[in-house]
Amino acid sequence: MLIFGGAPIFESSIPLSVFGVDRQDAGVPRYRLLVCAGEDGPLATTGGLTLTAPYGLDALARAGTIVVPAWRSISQAPPSEAIAALRKAHQEGARIIGLCTGAFVLAAAGLLDGRPATTHWMYAPTLAKRYPRVHVDPRELFVDDGDVLTSAGTAAGIDLCLHVVRTDHGAEAANALARRLVVPARRPGGQAQYIDRSLPEEIGNDPLAEVVTWALENLNQQFDVEALAARAYMSRRTFDRRFRSLTGSAPLQWLITQRVLQAQRLLETSDLSVDEVARRCGFRSPVALRGHFRRQLGVSPAVYRTNFRSRRPQAASAVPQQSTPGDRTSAAPPGQYPNGGGGGLPGQAAHPGPQGSAGQPWQPGERIGRSAPPSALPDHAAADDGRPQPGARGRGHRSDRPDPPERPERPGGADRQAAGPPAAEARQARALPGQRDRAVG
């Protein structure tokens, strides 16, 4: 684990909790973890704490996996010595992982050139602008591109580290670890649902800022990129080139993203119909809204509203209503805790995974960070439910399953009794698919 001064302590503690604690009694394979300082210490962190790492950059030469938890500032360049050490380790076969803003360290080392990557959605436009050769995808919780992996911010680092354990040792080992950490083994969706804006901070000093501001204030109108180019007194080709160099995104994709973001806010804070939301966000039809919404977030507007609708406080004089058994309005939002809220698969027995060389004392010349070679790993195809298998690389697959049709909510009580026998209703509930799985996050 490569740490720097000024990095947040939460991201720095994630690899320590996942890879640095011996949990073989719970069926979690053991990793040997070395904490290395990327610069001279002591290293300051959040809360006024200081850290002293027991190893230096020379320890990266024997690492099988290197985790960069975070970088202190996206406006600063990482130390050249740390960059050189990362490049050398990667050339010698080490797997490199960047959590949150750690992706900026990997990008500075050139390890993300030509690769898909992600980071915290707030910093994704800056990463795309500063390193145009990186294919930044701000929608994913994490991206696995084989020997280089990146994650979104904060808790997404846990998702990626669990994915690494799942890749190395199979689903049962990752599920056992998730139970010990009391987190979901897999979180549905991505970080697209949390995005608040999609522009780098530097745009405030650019002449295009006025055009962008006008667009954001008039999203309820139907205008296209040609209209934005005309307001900037540029040709469409010149406007596209300037906009892409400024934001790292094509103007059409940025405009669609902003309209979808506005639709998210309306779905969360109002009771407007989907048709009215589409009109107020500048979409030509509700069909266009549903298509773009599903492509960006993986769910329909109706399912998104169910999961993220704001709860309005009742008036002080109102008498709180007691929920009755079977009342759908009192149920927890579907898909929030896919494994019953406990993280891991209920009822699934844990068993120790393969130990390999990691359970033994380190020998000179041995690479650490992976507890067993890929050839020694068991086949967990049946347990992993079609997702990337141990040792497999790549971003995995996505199953685009249709979302349930939009229907008006039905109250509980007498109206429910007219819907048919309980068995028929149970069959109908099982027929409704859940949110789209994302193998990358």
Side-chain angles (χ1 to χ4, degrees):
M1 187 177 85
L2 182 61
I3 61 175
F4 299 93
I9 195 171
F10 185 94
E11 284 81 354
S12 301
S13 68
I14 291 173
L16 295 174
S17 300
V18 174
F19 303 116
V21 180
D22 187 358
R23 296 188 176 92
Q24 296 182 82
D25 60 330
V28 179
R30 180 176 179 269
Y31 290 84
R32 178 172 171 81
L33 179 68
L34 305 182
V35 181
C36 310
E39 54 193 346
D40 294 336
L43 308 177
T45 183
T46 49
L49 302 178
T50 56
L51 304 177
T52 302
Y55 298 92
L57 291 173
D58 56 335
L60 299 186
R62 46 180 161 144
T65 298
I66 300 175
V67 183
V68 184
W71 174 237
R72 57 174 166 261
S73 174
I74 63 174
S75 61
Q76 297 183 19
S80 57
E81 296 83 0
I83 293 299
L86 277 176
R87 288 173 180 164
K88 182 180 179 181
H90 181 255
Q91 292 171 357
E92 295 177 351
R95 177 174 55 182
I96 313 296
I97 299 174
L99 306 182
C100 192
T101 53
F104 283 81
V105 180
L106 275 59
L111 304 182
L112 299 181
D113 289 353
R115 293 176 178 266
T118 191
T119 186
H120 193 293
W121 59 262
M122 188 167 58
Y123 307 123
T126 302
L127 181 65
K129 177 188 177 183
R130 188 171 302 167
Y131 303 99
R133 297 186 60 185
V134 181
H135 306 309
V136 181
D137 188 350
R139 299 171 299 176
E140 305 296 353
L141 290 175
F142 63 82
V143 172
D144 179 348
D145 195 46
D147 56 346
V148 177
L149 303 87
T150 51
S151 81
T154 316
I158 301 177
D159 298 311
L160 177 53
C161 289
L162 285 175
H163 170 76
V164 169
V165 176
R166 186 181 302 110
T167 300
D168 289 348
H169 300 288
E172 293 187 23
N175 293 338
L177 178 57
R179 285 193 289 270
R180 287 296 292 266
L181 298 177
V182 197
V183 296
R186 300 179 190 271
R187 280 200 296 164
Q191 63 169 335
Q193 55 200 349
Y194 306 111
I195 294 177
D196 182 49
R197 61 184 179 88
S198 186
L199 285 176
E201 298 175 358
E202 295 90 336
I203 194 174
N205 300 323
D206 192 275
L208 287 183
E210 182 179 352
V211 176
V212 170
T213 301
W214 180 89
L216 293 175
E217 293 175 351
N218 295 273
L219 289 175
N220 60 323
Q221 303 181 21
Q222 293 184 9
F223 57 87
D224 53 16
V225 180
E226 296 285 354
L228 296 180
R231 292 189 67 87
Y233 301 101
M234 298 178 184
S235 66
R236 171 63 186 271
R237 178 175 299 182
T238 302
F239 181 80
D240 285 0
R241 183 173 63 253
R242 287 285 309 278
F243 196 94
R244 187 182 293 271
S245 65
L246 178 68
T247 67
S249 174
L252 178 59
Q253 182 57 48
W254 176 84
L255 181 58
I256 293 174
T257 299
Q258 299 307 313
R259 295 192 189 280
V260 171
L261 289 174
Q262 179 68 7
Q264 287 179 252
R265 299 184 187 101
L266 292 178
L267 290 170
E268 294 170 6
T269 59
S270 73
D271 293 324
L272 298 174
S273 66
V274 175
D275 291 15
E276 181 64 18
V277 169
R279 188 187 67 80
R280 295 196 181 192
C281 296
F283 288 103
R284 299 185 182 279
S285 68
V287 175
L289 167 62
R290 291 185 178 95
H292 291 300
F293 202 96
R294 193 186 304 272
R295 274 189 291 272
Q296 289 196 29
L297 303 182
V299 296
S300 68
V303 172
Y304 181 87
R305 166 171 278 170
T306 301
N307 291 340
F308 293 94
R309 182 186 340 216
S310 298
R311 298 177 183 272
R312 293 186 177 87
Q314 294 181 348
S317 59
V319 179
Q321 298 179 355
Q322 296 182 352
S323 58
T324 58
D327 188 352
R328 288 187 180 180
T329 59
S330 63
Q336 184 174 1
Y337 297 102
N339 296 323
L345 303 178
Q348 185 176 16
H351 68 81
Q355 298 305 313
S357 60
Q360 305 298 330
W362 175 80
Q363 301 296 330
E366 178 187 4
R367 283 191 171 271
I368 60 178
R370 304 192 192 194
S371 57
S375 59
L377 299 178
D379 183 9
H380 293 274
D384 208 20
D385 195 20
R387 293 175 170 83
Q389 301 304 313
R393 297 303 186 196
R395 303 184 67 199
H397 73 280
R398 300 183 185 184
S399 55
D400 294 324
R401 295 179 295 178
D403 292 300
E406 301 176 14
R407 299 176 302 174
E409 296 182 358
R410 293 186 295 116
D415 291 342
R416 174 177 288 275
Q417 297 176 0
E425 183 171 334
R427 286 194 300 271
Q428 182 187 30
R430 288 195 299 269
L432 298 179
Q435 292 185 345
R436 180 178 67 174
D437 292 333
R438 288 176 181 262
V440 291

